[in-house]
Amino acid sequence: MSTFMWVVNAIFILNIILAVVTVFREKRDIAATWAWLLVLVLLPIIGFIIYLFFGKKISREKIFDIKTQESIGMKELVIAQKEMLLDDELLSSKQSTENTKEIASLFLESDESIVTKGNKIDLFIDGNKKFDSLIHDIQQAQHHVHMLYYTIHQDDLGKRILAALEERAAAGVEVLVIYDAMGSRSTKHRFFNHLESLGGRAEPFFGSHWTIINLRLNYRNHRKIVVIDGKIGYVGGFNVGDEYLGKDKKFGYWRDTHLRIQGNAVLALQSRFIMDWNAAVDKHRLDYQEEYFPIIPNKGKSNMQIVSSGPDSEQQQIKKGYIKMISMAKKSIYIQSPYFIPDDSVLDAITIAAMSGIDVRIMIPNKPDHPFVYRATTYYAGEMVAAGAKVYIYDNGFLHAKTVVIDGEVASVGTANFDFRSFKLNFEVNAFIYDPAIAQQLQKIYEDDIKKCYLLTEEIIENQSSWMKFKQEFSRLLSPIL
């Protein structure tokens, strides 16, 4: 054998050894382990560079720092609610069943997420209406505006939002903004210079002193939270950018779902924001203030829990909530998600429901914003069709909503997609709503969306090209790390 071949073989063997050692140094699930081994073995050197940025788990020190930010003002209430739930005193009889009580118990135990009552919910499915409402509410702020978005672009919408924040900061209102370092990578921090000169503050989540080198960019704060005076809260799928108003020709109309909340659920959003703020900053951390957690009279009739999940916890709270909802369905399961890449546990739950005769409907976009992710999504869409579910392809722009509705009784709206990233790698937040009126409203919106879809059939799947099927199969292999 020539010297060249000896060298090639030696490099190949060394690469495999290093790949095995690298991946097994950190505890991760089997699917992710095999996916990273595939990348490291097939892409020598380049694979290790990719792993350096995207594969390393978040440091234990940083996890501890986030986990020790206590849910301000919530600890004692969680203990009391667990007792009330056992005594059937927590949820009203009109809006609770044994199933909803079990979901509430799951989140009290896994996330210490309190059940809030008497909330008023306004639903937004159009970006223009959502952001007009948000800007109006910001302009009315008297004490504080706390804002967290995965993406804040420095375009026309970003400037409109910033102008409203600057006006309030100039009036003496506390303005705090968190933006994700990866999701807002095209936005320079100097975009917020004037806001900070007026007394506001803007902080990147998991940012880096070196823009190009950020070894934590795989752990993204995908949450979208706004809290105004502790009385009004926003949570859902819309980010800040012109494309979310349907102004990007590539995506066209942007179909999303967002909530405007008045009531005690806002206090849970406030608690989440404060924890994220304190994790993002080195100085100027927030402490409890009465103005952050005002006493709020009932504004409506909706019960809900605000549930968070992320790499700071092994619980995968939102994923477990999805599984619980799916497993309790008796009639129907309506799912909307731009990325549908379920892990085995979620896939099994949906498959069992579909094969049991439950009306399972899944809606995904007709175009990718991330090619590998979309091809993996279409692979699993095919699996769902084979299991008997109805898969709808939204054909009126881009579908970005993350909603689940079960039996027209219980619903979830938030930031978490049906994929590995949302379940394990991203910091996410969802509202789980125990109000048949809201669930049925969301179900009606879903049914209206179906009119703008085409049904994915076995015939369409069979007629896909061999190249398309290969891309789907290959993307599925990478799905645990996409």
Side-chain angles (χ1 to χ4, degrees):
M1 187 180 294
S2 68
T3 303
F4 175 76
M5 289 304 300
W6 275 106
V7 171
V8 169
N9 288 338
I11 292 174
F12 179 73
I13 294 171
L14 180 61
N15 184 75
I16 292 176
I17 293 172
L18 288 175
V20 171
V21 171
T22 299
V23 170
F24 283 97
R25 282 184 61 194
E26 296 180 324
K27 183 180 178 181
R28 64 183 82 235
D29 60 56
I30 294 173
T33 298
W34 280 109
W36 276 118
L37 279 173
L38 181 67
V39 170
L40 294 176
V41 171
L42 294 182
L43 299 173
I45 301 177
I46 296 174
F48 284 93
I49 295 173
I50 295 173
Y51 181 86
L52 183 65
F53 284 92
F54 293 98
K56 286 181 65 62
K57 299 189 75 173
I58 189 172
S59 70
R60 294 184 179 182
E61 293 78 8
K62 195 62 182 181
I63 292 177
F64 181 78
D65 183 53
I66 296 170
K67 290 177 71 173
T68 53
Q69 307 299 329
E70 293 186 358
S71 300
I72 300 174
M74 302 292 179
K75 192 77 174 181
E76 295 78 9
L77 188 54
V78 169
I79 296 172
Q81 286 200 347
K82 289 179 181 179
E83 296 176 356
M84 293 172 66
L85 193 63
L86 289 173
D87 296 333
D88 289 331
E89 297 175 356
L90 184 58
L91 294 167
S92 65
S93 58
K94 291 183 179 180
Q95 294 188 345
S96 69
T97 62
E98 285 303 314
N99 285 327
T100 57
K101 291 175 184 177
E102 290 175 11
I103 297 175
S105 177
L106 169 66
F107 292 137
L108 281 168
E109 290 291 342
S110 65
D111 191 48
E112 295 190 339
S113 172
I114 61 169
V115 178
T116 63
K117 304 179 182 181
N119 297 289
K120 181 179 184 295
I121 298 174
D122 295 309
L123 286 170
F124 292 100
I125 60 173
D126 177 79
N128 289 282
K129 293 179 180 179
K130 182 258 178 174
F131 285 108
D132 285 348
S133 175
L134 174 60
I135 290 171
H136 177 267
D137 286 337
I138 291 172
Q139 291 169 339
Q140 307 305 310
Q142 298 299 308
H143 183 264
H144 63 269
V145 179
H146 293 165
M147 178 180 290
L148 186 167
Y149 277 102
Y150 172 66
T151 300
I152 299 178
H153 287 315
Q154 51 189 67
D155 53 18
D156 289 344
L157 178 59
K159 291 173 183 175
R160 283 177 59 202
I161 299 287
L162 185 62
L165 296 174
E166 289 172 345
E167 188 276 329
R168 287 292 80 199
V173 173
E174 177 184 84
V175 176
L176 304 177
V177 178
I178 306 173
Y179 59 96
D180 185 78
M182 181 64 179
S184 305
R185 58 192 177 278
S186 64
T187 298
K188 307 302 181 185
H189 188 78
R190 61 176 176 269
F191 181 63
F192 302 101
N193 282 354
H194 185 52
L195 173 65
E196 295 189 325
S197 73
L198 296 170
R201 288 186 59 84
E203 293 287 343
F205 192 89
F206 278 10
S208 173
H209 295 295
W210 298 277
T211 305
I212 299 176
I213 302 175
N214 186 347
L215 301 184
R216 295 177 297 184
L217 58 80
N218 200 35
Y219 300 97
R220 307 168 190 173
N221 195 323
H222 196 239
R223 295 168 182 148
K224 295 95 178 169
I225 295 172
V226 181
V227 178
I228 299 167
D229 292 341
K231 299 176 181 178
I232 298 172
Y234 285 81
V235 65
F238 282 107
N239 286 296
V240 176
D242 286 349
E243 67 261 44
Y244 304 98
L245 303 180
K247 294 183 177 181
D248 189 317
K249 292 182 180 179
K250 174 185 175 182
F251 296 111
Y253 180 73
W254 192 277
R255 170 65 182 86
D256 220 322
T257 304
H258 219 92
L259 306 180
R260 179 183 185 269
I261 303 169
Q262 292 174 279
N264 287 305
V266 179
L267 306 183
L269 288 174
Q270 182 80 284
S271 177
R272 180 70 266 167
F273 176 88
I274 290 174
M275 285 189 282
D276 284 7
W277 177 266
N278 288 347
V281 302
D282 295 322
K283 300 179 181 178
H284 307 291
R285 294 193 170 195
L286 299 179
D287 295 317
Y288 175 83
Q289 292 186 32
E290 289 184 2
E291 291 84 357
Y292 292 159
F293 298 92
I295 297 173
I296 303 176
N298 287 352
K299 295 289 185 178
K301 299 179 180 179
S302 297
N303 299 336
M304 71 169 65
Q305 286 172 288
I306 302 296
V307 180
S308 302
S309 64
D312 54 321
S313 171
E314 296 294 330
Q315 291 289 340
Q316 300 184 58
Q317 295 93 327
I318 293 176
K319 185 189 86 169
K320 288 179 179 176
Y322 283 163
I323 293 174
K324 181 62 180 175
M325 290 176 70
I326 292 164
S327 64
M328 78 183 200
K330 298 293 188 294
K331 297 178 294 183
S332 62
I333 301 169
Y334 287 17
I335 297 170
Q336 287 178 316
S337 179
Y339 318 127
F340 185 77
I341 310 175
D343 65 8
D344 287 344
S345 58
V346 177
L347 186 65
D348 285 347
I350 300 174
T351 300
I352 290 169
M355 296 179 72
S356 300
I358 293 170
D359 181 11
V360 176
R361 305 185 184 193
I362 301 164
M363 192 178 296
I364 60 175
N366 71 342
K367 64 188 70 175
D369 62 340
H370 301 291
F372 281 110
V373 175
Y374 188 69
R375 293 307 162 208
T377 292
T378 55
Y379 171 86
Y380 285 104
E383 292 285 289
M384 290 292 92
V385 171
K390 298 184 182 74
V391 176
Y392 296 96
I393 311 298
Y394 187 76
D395 204 23
N396 186 47
F398 188 73
L399 178 75
H400 194 250
K402 304 97 165 51
T403 65
V404 185
V405 185
I406 303 298
D407 293 342
E409 294 180 354
V410 180
S412 175
V413 176
T415 69
N417 299 300
F418 267 75
D419 65 357
F420 285 83
R421 173 162 292 282
S422 282
F423 295 156
K424 300 199 70 172
L425 298 177
N426 284 350
F427 296 89
E428 306 281 6
V429 60
N430 274 38
F432 286 80
I433 305 164
Y434 315 129
D435 182 351
I438 296 297
Q440 289 164 25
Q441 188 178 350
L442 286 164
Q443 186 164 299
K444 175 63 168 58
I445 291 170
Y446 193 106
E447 290 166 353
D448 288 341
D449 286 335
I450 288 176
K451 299 172 185 177
K452 304 178 183 72
C453 297
Y454 66 87
L455 185 68
L456 181 65
T457 64
E458 292 183 354
E459 182 180 3
I460 292 174
I461 296 169
E462 282 296 319
N463 289 331
Q464 290 173 340
S465 67
S466 298
W467 173 238
M468 178 62 70
K469 291 177 180 178
F470 170 78
K471 288 192 292 185
Q472 291 176 352
E473 290 280 1
F474 182 76
S475 297
R476 180 188 62 115
L477 294 177
L478 299 178
S479 58
I481 60 177
L482 289 174

